[in-house]
Amino acid sequence: MSETPAIEEGASGAEAAIDPAIFSQLLPFDPFDPAFHADPYAVYRKIREQGPVTRTPLGLVVVPGHAEVSAVLRDNRFGWGDGATVAEHFSQAPDGTTVRPFIFMDPPDHTRIRGLVSQAFAARRIDALRTRAGELVDELIEKARAEAGDGPVDLIDAVAHPLPAILLGELLGVPAEQHERFRQLSNDIAHGLDPSIFLTPEEVTRRDSARAELNAYFGTLADERRAAPTGDLISELVAAEDTDGKLSGHELVVTLTLLLSAGFALTVNLVGNGMYALLRNPEQAAWLRAHPEEVPAAVEEMLRYDPPGQMISRVALEDAEVAGVPIAAGEQVMLMIGAASRDPEVYEDPDALLLSRPAGRNLGFGLGVHFCVGAPIARLAAQAAVAKLTALDLELATDEPPRAPYIITRGLKELPVRVAPAG
């Protein structure tokens, strides 16, 4: 963020060596309040009531409304810029040059690499995985039930975590024996998506170590594909290195790490949040069992109701305005996806989960040139998981499963359920 307060080296998050009250001047909520993590939507409602644009005492511009968030996401006067919040995601290539993941790029570099990366999630590739995704969910559930015996099954550990790790690994051409390790590394990176000042030193270290390990692994895998292409996605991207200089070697490595880790985080939390919402609304689960053809639309409503990505940061690349409020070049804008997703100006009864709600105008995957490139695989995995899990007789084993204490992403640490015997 553009005016982040100074913090002593080696301290961050709850261990930051500053008065926690400063965070209340930077953000319009307390990022360490357990009540906020349990239900941020009550806080978002109050922020929306203050108007379409709010400035915090330290100058962060907060945008909570659906129309305004949509407008900024479509406006090319806003992008990532070159601030410290973005820079902590950069890495160094062997030649000493700095490389940033393409999702933190602005056009034209973003456009150049996104066009290549989109091949990973082309319709033909996703459709080819659809049957495989359903089979995987069946296998994962059967394995979890066998291991749990009469005890509860944790849907996060049993399904939400391994499903995207395996699907993304197979999509990228990663050997099956590496999928579990990739799951662990992706989880560490996903938990480090918040700005470092909101993380503990241990979380920052795990994030950075996981990135380095994945970069090194993908570097080795790319070398193998250069020597002997196999026709998988990595082979295709390696070929792009030599096509009009479209992709440098280290850009390839960073891009592969990003595809795995970002796609993992989004999918895990979409599945977890969606199933938790469904289990807390049994009448909606019953409706979906009676209308299994509506699973894709139901997943879209789950995405709206409790989006895995709660906020998106943007920087004004030039002087602009939002809802008539001037925004100077260089100012940081926080787009409140979670608040916009429950905007009563757009959604009737926005705090209710209504699986029959007409689809459209969903901001859960973003909008505009930075629309989430991994949305197709996240949707595929979530649809497969929801379809299979809804068919089972599930019951929450706890009223309040623990939440991960992050602000950019929203998800559960675990989701224990009791599974009734088949038949």
Side-chain angles (χ1 to χ4, degrees):
M1 299 174 185
S2 55
E3 296 187 44
T4 299
I7 296 179
E8 289 182 6
E9 184 177 356
S12 61
E15 300 181 16
I18 61 172
D19 184 347
I22 290 181
F23 286 106
S24 67
Q25 300 178 48
L26 177 65
L27 296 169
F29 55 85
D30 181 352
F32 307 120
D33 183 1
F36 170 76
H37 293 289
D39 180 18
Y41 300 103
V43 176
Y44 297 159
R45 193 178 307 119
K46 293 179 181 179
I47 296 172
R48 279 199 312 268
E49 290 169 355
Q50 296 173 18
V53 177
T54 297
R55 287 183 189 272
T56 65
L58 286 178
L60 180 67
V61 179
V62 179
V63 182
H66 192 286
E68 293 75 24
V69 168
S70 300
V72 173
L73 289 174
R74 289 192 177 105
D75 192 335
N76 60 13
R77 294 175 298 175
F78 293 91
W80 283 106
D82 298 301
T85 302
V86 177
E88 65 185 35
H89 297 285
F90 295 1
S91 65
Q92 272 202 328
D95 64 2
T97 59
T98 299
V99 176
R100 66 165 78 186
F102 84 93
I103 63 167
F104 297 110
M105 292 179 175
D106 295 317
D109 284 336
H110 173 268
T111 308
R112 169 177 59 88
I113 298 181
R114 184 186 176 96
L116 296 169
V117 170
S118 295
Q119 299 173 32
F121 304 108
R124 62 180 175 84
R125 291 185 180 274
I126 298 303
D127 287 342
L129 284 174
R130 196 165 299 279
T131 299
R132 173 63 173 148
E135 293 172 347
L136 272 174
V137 176
D138 283 337
E139 292 171 9
L140 293 169
I141 293 171
E142 184 178 353
K143 178 174 181 285
R145 294 180 71 172
E147 292 176 349
D150 295 331
V153 170
D154 177 7
L155 291 185
I156 301 299
D157 184 64
V159 178
H161 271 178
L163 179 61
I166 296 170
L167 286 176
L168 286 162
E170 293 182 355
L171 188 66
L172 294 173
V174 172
E177 60 269 20
Q178 295 292 340
H179 291 171
E180 177 58 28
R181 180 57 180 159
F182 276 27
R183 170 188 173 184
Q184 298 166 1
L185 295 174
S186 296
N187 196 45
D188 288 339
I189 295 174
H191 286 172
L193 291 176
D194 281 356
S196 293
I197 61 169
F198 299 113
L199 303 172
T200 65
E202 292 76 17
E203 287 167 338
V204 173
T205 297
R206 286 200 304 270
R207 177 197 68 191
D208 294 345
S209 296
R211 283 178 184 163
E213 184 173 337
L214 277 178
N215 284 347
Y217 178 79
F218 279 127
T220 299
L221 208 58
D223 287 340
E224 293 175 0
R225 297 299 190 270
R226 288 186 192 97
T230 62
D232 61 16
L233 177 66
I234 294 178
S235 298
E236 290 183 18
L237 292 177
V238 164
E241 291 177 311
D242 300 321
T243 306
D244 300 324
K246 286 185 177 179
L247 194 66
S248 73
H250 198 67
E251 281 178 337
L252 168 63
V253 166
V254 170
T255 295
L256 290 170
T257 295
L258 172 74
L259 285 175
L260 186 69
S261 57
F264 174 86
L266 184 68
T267 308
V268 169
N269 293 327
L270 176 56
V271 172
N273 292 354
M275 285 308 304
Y276 181 46
L278 203 59
L279 289 165
R280 291 188 63 187
N281 292 271
E283 76 291 347
Q284 293 297 302
W287 181 90
L288 189 56
R289 279 192 291 273
H291 301 85
E293 73 282 358
E294 297 296 332
V295 164
V299 167
E300 296 305 299
E301 170 64 358
M302 294 171 185
L303 178 66
R304 179 207 69 83
Y305 179 77
D306 199 9
Q310 292 277 296
M311 306 173 199
I312 299 176
S313 175
R314 289 290 183 265
V315 171
L317 304 177
E318 58 183 88
D319 290 348
E321 64 175 42
V322 178
V325 177
I327 309 295
E331 283 197 281
Q332 188 98 1
V333 178
M334 182 63 76
L335 306 177
M336 311 290 286
I337 299 297
S341 294
R342 296 202 185 186
D343 190 336
E345 295 294 321
V346 175
Y347 302 104
E348 183 178 353
D349 197 5
D351 292 323
L353 178 74
L354 299 173
L355 300 186
S356 59
R357 188 188 301 274
R361 297 184 287 182
N362 197 326
L363 296 177
F365 290 121
L367 201 64
V369 298
H370 288 285
F371 179 81
C372 178
V373 72
I377 193 71
R379 282 184 165 122
L380 170 72
Q383 289 167 14
V386 169
K388 296 291 186 178
L389 291 171
T390 302
L392 300 175
D393 187 358
L394 303 180
E395 182 182 63
L396 283 171
T398 177
D399 290 334
E400 297 292 338
R403 285 271 177 192
Y406 305 116
I407 62 173
I408 300 299
T409 58
R410 175 168 167 79
L412 296 161
K413 288 183 177 179
E414 57 186 55
L415 182 57
V417 299
R418 286 181 286 271
V419 186

